[in-house]
Every structure is written in C-alpha cells, then in structure tokens.
Amino acid sequence: MLRAYSGSRLFLRFVGFLLVFAVIGIVIDQIIISIIVGCIALLGWHYRQITRLNYWLWKDRKLTPPQGTGSWEGIFNGIYRLQGKNRRRVGQLASLLSRFRQGAEALPDAAVVLDSDHNILWCNKLAQLVLGFVWPQDNGQRIDNLIRHPDFSAYLKTGKFNEPLELTSPLSENRLLEIRLMSYGDRQLLLIARDITRINQLEGMRKEFVANVSHELKTPLTVLQGYLEIMQSMEEADSMNQKPLKLMQQQTRRMQSMVEQLLVLSRIEDGADIDLEKTINMQAMLDILKDEASALAMDEYEVEFQCEEHLDCHGNEVQIRSACTNLISNAIRYTEPGGKITVRWQQVASGAKFSVTDNGLGIAAQHIGRLTERFYRVDNARSSKTGGSGLGLAIVKHALNHHYSELHITSELEKGSCFSFIIPSHLLVNR
C-alpha cells in the first residue's frame, strides 16, 4: 500500500496525465492549449478534493474519510490511519489515568496535586473528607486560600519540604494532620495529608504511662535497697548469704538507674519548649565532665579532653550535659580496661562539634541505625555485664533534637567508635 503512494508513482501518473492531453493537442493541432486545459482540469480536481477534505475535517461527523482517488487516496487513508492511532493512544491514556485515579482513591491518605503556583489540579475523595475540599468547584484554587493556617503558609513559602508539617485540621481543632509535600514532574507538587490524631494520643498515653510507672517504682526500689543494705550489714563476712544479697543489691541499683533514666527521658521529651536563649558555659561544664570521667575510669583508662576555650553555646544545660555524660560513660563502659577515650569540643564550619572517640569493641554496621531506639542493645549479655539499660542514646537523641542537632555514629568492629554531634552556628555565643 505504501508503494502505491510513493513519489515516483505519483510523478509517473502526473506525466501520463499530461501526455494524454499532449496527444489530444497533437491530434487537434493545439498542443499548448490542450496541455493548459489539462493543467486547469487537474487544478480543479485537486481543489475539489481539498474542499471534500475540509468539509470532512470541520463539518462532517463521520469517522471515515471520503473516498479518495489518485494522489488524494493516500492522503485520506493516511489521515484516517493517524486518527486511528490517536484514538488508540487516547484510549490508553484514559485507561492509564483511570487506573491512576483508582489507585489514588485507594490511598489511606488525602492526596492533592498542585501546579508550580500551588493551584489545585486534582484531589482524591479523602482530601475532600479530611481537608474539606469540594471537587470540582475547588479546581484551580490556591491551596493556601483553602487551608488558612499561618504555619502552612510559611511552610509553602520556604519551599523546603524535607520535614513534614503538623497542624490542626481545617475541619476540626481536635484533629491533628501530618502534611508532606513532594516535588515531581514539571514543577508539580503532590500533597499528602494524614490524620495522626490517634497516633498522637497513643504517644501521649505512652509517655504518661512511662513517667507514672517510673515515678511509682522509685519509692519501692528505695525501700528495697535500704532493707538489702541492712540485711547485708547483719550478715557475717563469710556468710553464704553475702553473695545473693550482693547480687540483689546490684540488680536493684541497676533498676534504680533505669528508672532514673526513664524519668530523665520523659522530662526531655516533654521539654519541647525549652529556652534556647540561655548561655551554657561549656568550659565549666566540660571541667565537671572531666572529673566525672576520671572517677568513672578509676585509672583503668586513658581519658583525654581536647576542648577549645571560650566556645560557648545557647541551650538547655541539663539536656546538653546529659547527652555528653551518656556518650562519655558509654565509651568507658564499652571499652576494655587500658583503652583510650578522647573527648573533643571544637569549632567547625557549621558550628561547634562535640565528639567522643574510643578504641573499644566497636559496633557492627547493621546495629548503628537502631542504637538510639529505646532499650535497643547490641549484645544483651554484654549490656547486662556493663549495666547498660539501652536508654542512654535515646536520651541523647531527644536532647539533641531540641537543639537542632543529631547524633552521628561511626564505628568499626574491634577498632573503636566515634559518637559526635554539632551544635549549629545560630546557637553559638558570639565572641
């Protein structure tokens, strides 16, 4: 079929048509006039085909083109073929769009598609229920005209969507939403809104439960510790009861330490509104930490402090000190006697860096990502031996979160570890 519409065949048809009129001209002895008449007839025929094509494209509702002849047959058939391809592509796109919308409707979260100017292009049904949108009436509306919340407007203006935003639902002040924005395609945004009211309530209940239980355990543990000390003092030095009483005292002290850490963790978690304007005298605090580390090391470890003077910061001294203490005590606890622990406090490009480096046992790579989880311990047997509770690094994590910092861990088995964090520049005291 394609060969029938090739340029050479069409040219041969045209030449043959002119030869016919040339022969007629020879017969009637008017060859030029005959060829001119043939050309005019050919132009009239082409104009007729153009008129038929124009009528079919703009007025005729039929899908099939008019029957073409000669050189126009290929044009009509080609247009019809392209129309068939377009119909198939439109059908495929419609099917793909339908599947996309069905998938978006099945999402457990509200989904809204925005353009580069934050105008709404599409939203699923859950967005209408959670955010109060009305579709399709809200099509083309700016989303900050519908979600009128200062925090949301500021979140949009920053253009930094690495962290989600929590805000109250525009439909109910008793419901809390987590909103995420993700860029995709041609400068478009996908907004995902999730109702986290229940999660937030459960988290609050968990914190309250841990704080209450920890507080209630303090008194009976203190009483138990006191009676154990009395019982131990009443026994002879070579009594067979001395060993079990000593073990009971050790476990009681361990439980008391765990309760104290749980209470500290609860206070730090609840202290989201801490005063970051207060100045921490880091030199004085590090001197105290140095004395505590020396007492904990008991001449069995080499503990070295390398601290830059007059490098103070703003924040909560109790929380920063708790974070530093936990890192230093962990380094001593998980390093074999004779090992070296180096504590540094120095200025870096992004702020001030506190680091604790040891040459101890090290940590396998698969455990590093979970070290800041509550009660997570790399080796339960080793932690029981050293008295570890699995709460120290969780305390560090939450304390640092309140100071716009995070814990960085590098470690290699049998070679040691380095735990560090950076206090950002805006929290440093101008010198």
Side-chain angles (χ1 to χ4, degrees):
M1 179 66 72
L2 183 62
R3 292 182 61 192
Y5 307 133
S6 64
S8 58
R9 284 181 173 269
L10 293 176
F11 179 73
L12 290 175
R13 287 183 182 181
F14 175 68
V15 172
F17 178 81
L18 292 181
L19 285 176
V20 170
F21 278 87
V23 171
I24 295 173
I26 293 173
V27 172
I28 62 176
D29 198 22
Q30 296 289 338
I31 185 170
I32 295 177
I33 294 176
S34 179
I35 291 175
I36 292 174
V37 170
C39 290
I40 293 174
L42 185 60
L43 286 174
W45 179 78
H46 279 296
Y47 181 77
R48 168 60 180 163
Q49 301 303 320
I50 291 173
T51 304
R52 294 175 65 201
L53 177 61
N54 184 68
Y55 178 81
W56 176 63
L57 290 175
W58 295 100
K59 296 181 180 180
D60 198 351
R61 295 184 179 181
K62 294 180 181 179
L63 292 177
T64 56
Q67 185 66 36
T69 56
S71 58
W72 284 91
E73 182 181 2
I75 296 173
F76 287 140
N77 291 340
I79 293 175
Y80 181 67
R81 185 164 173 255
L82 288 176
Q83 278 192 327
K85 284 184 178 180
N86 288 334
R87 282 195 296 270
R88 286 193 296 273
R89 288 176 181 174
V90 169
Q92 291 172 354
L93 289 174
S95 176
L96 183 62
L97 182 61
S98 176
R99 289 198 298 270
F100 164 76
R101 288 186 173 179
Q102 289 174 1
E105 294 293 352
L107 287 173
D109 304 321
V112 184
V113 178
L114 308 173
D115 63 14
S116 58
D117 295 323
H118 303 148
N119 298 319
I120 298 174
L121 299 179
W122 178 84
C123 68
N124 63 358
K125 290 181 180 178
L126 202 55
Q128 301 172 47
L129 297 175
V130 173
L131 300 173
F133 294 168
V134 180
W135 190 258
Q137 287 84 342
D138 289 335
N139 184 20
Q141 293 282 340
R142 278 185 62 91
I143 193 165
D144 49 354
N145 290 337
L146 300 178
I147 303 179
R148 295 182 175 273
H149 197 287
D151 292 343
F152 182 71
S153 299
Y155 186 63
L156 277 180
K157 289 179 181 178
T158 60
K160 298 177 181 178
F161 309 129
N162 296 328
E163 296 295 330
L165 172 69
E166 293 184 6
L167 75 163
T168 55
S169 169
L171 299 181
S172 173
E173 294 184 355
N174 297 324
R175 306 200 72 80
L176 185 66
L177 301 179
E178 180 187 78
I179 292 181
R180 291 180 178 272
L181 278 168
M182 292 157 282
S183 301
Y184 80 100
D186 185 16
R187 296 188 301 169
Q188 291 183 335
L189 294 171
L190 177 63
L191 182 146
I192 299 293
R194 176 179 299 175
D195 190 336
I196 58 170
T197 307
R198 182 60 177 166
I199 297 174
N200 193 60
Q201 290 173 346
L202 291 174
E203 182 66 14
M205 291 170 61
R206 181 193 63 76
K207 291 179 181 179
E208 186 177 355
F209 172 78
V210 170
N212 290 340
V213 169
S214 302
H215 182 75
E216 292 299 324
L217 283 174
K218 281 191 72 175
T219 301
L221 283 172
T222 304
V223 173
L224 182 60
Q225 178 72 18
Y227 276 110
L228 285 172
E229 289 177 357
I230 294 173
M231 292 172 64
Q232 192 173 21
S233 65
M234 294 173 61
E235 295 289 337
E236 298 293 336
D238 57 350
S239 172
M240 61 181 298
N241 293 327
Q242 282 289 353
K243 185 175 180 180
L245 286 172
K246 184 179 180 181
L247 290 174
M248 290 166 67
Q249 274 197 323
Q250 288 177 350
Q251 294 304 314
T252 305
R253 281 194 293 268
R254 184 183 175 195
M255 183 167 278
Q256 282 181 321
S257 175
M258 187 180 297
V259 168
E260 290 294 336
Q261 286 188 315
L262 281 170
L263 288 172
V264 169
L265 184 57
S266 297
R267 286 195 296 268
I268 290 176
E269 285 183 329
D270 292 336
D273 298 327
I274 63 173
D275 186 3
L276 294 179
E277 297 299 323
K278 291 185 177 180
T279 301
I280 304 174
N281 187 334
M282 292 298 296
Q283 184 65 50
M285 189 183 79
L286 289 167
D287 289 340
I288 296 173
L289 291 177
K290 187 175 182 179
D291 293 338
E292 292 178 353
S294 298
L296 188 61
M298 295 186 298
D299 298 327
E300 295 182 354
Y301 302 87
E302 181 185 351
V303 182
E304 181 184 1
F305 275 70
Q306 300 175 6
C307 303
E308 190 172 332
E309 296 181 355
H310 309 296
L311 182 58
D312 298 330
C313 66
H314 296 292
N316 185 285
E317 184 173 353
V318 174
Q319 293 190 13
I320 293 296
R321 180 176 174 179
S322 177
C324 296
T325 300
N326 273 290
L327 294 181
I328 295 172
S329 62
N330 277 355
I332 296 174
R333 185 179 293 119
Y334 295 109
T335 301
E336 296 292 339
K340 181 179 180 180
I341 292 94
T342 303
V343 180
R344 293 185 178 89
W345 171 249
Q346 57 192 352
Q347 186 149 14
V348 293
S350 56
K353 181 178 181 180
F354 179 87
S355 63
V356 180
T357 307
D358 63 67
N359 58 356
L361 302 175
I363 305 164
Q366 66 267 26
H367 297 294
I368 290 178
R370 300 189 59 189
L371 286 179
T372 55
E373 295 179 10
R374 300 164 186 257
F375 302 109
Y376 184 82
R377 291 179 287 191
V378 175
D379 186 342
N380 288 330
R382 186 174 73 177
S383 297
S384 299
K385 182 180 177 181
T386 58
S389 64
L391 290 170
L393 293 182
I395 293 174
V396 174
K397 173 186 174 181
H398 287 282
L400 296 181
N401 283 344
H402 293 159
H403 293 81
Y404 304 99
S405 183
E406 60 182 13
L407 182 64
H408 296 278
I409 305 170
T410 57
S411 184
E412 190 173 349
L413 283 175
E414 307 302 332
K415 291 188 178 181
S417 307
C418 178
F419 291 75
S420 64
F421 62 85
I422 295 176
I423 299 297
S425 299
H426 71 272
L427 290 182
L428 297 183
V429 177
N430 294 326
R431 291 183 286 174

